[in-house]
């Protein structure tokens, strides 16, 4: 039987600092940081390049 390759998430989780009880908290904080970076930096910068922002349909 063929061994499955480790996923990116398994690699990331193994390399997080802390014990087994601290790692989920560190992972959650890391995820929250990535979401905040996207919401407050990346998406506003990309918005200026996107075509018009009207999303209503109809009249």
């Amino acid at each position: 039987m063929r061994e499955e390759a480790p996923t990116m998430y398994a690699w990331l989780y193994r390399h997080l600092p802390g014990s087994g009880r601290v790692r989920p908290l560190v992972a959650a904080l890391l995820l929250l940081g990535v979401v905040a970076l996207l919401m407050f930096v990346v998406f506003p910068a990309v918005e200026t390049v996107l075509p018009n922002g009207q999303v209503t349909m109809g009249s």
Side-chain angles (χ1 to χ4, degrees), residues 9 11-35:
Y9 303 109
W11 180 89
L12 179 64
Y13 192 77
R14 278 194 315 270
H15 287 84
L16 288 175
S19 66
R21 292 183 179 185
V22 176
R23 283 183 182 175
L25 179 62
V26 173
L29 289 174
L30 184 62
L31 180 64
L32 185 65
V34 168
V35 169

Side-chain angles (χ1 to χ4, degrees), residues 21-51:
R21 292 183 179 185
V22 176
R23 283 183 182 175
L25 179 62
V26 173
L29 289 174
L30 184 62
L31 180 64
L32 185 65
V34 168
V35 169
L37 180 70
L38 286 171
M39 293 299 288
F40 296 116
V41 177
V42 176
F43 294 155
V46 172
E47 183 183 22
T48 60
V49 182
L50 295 175

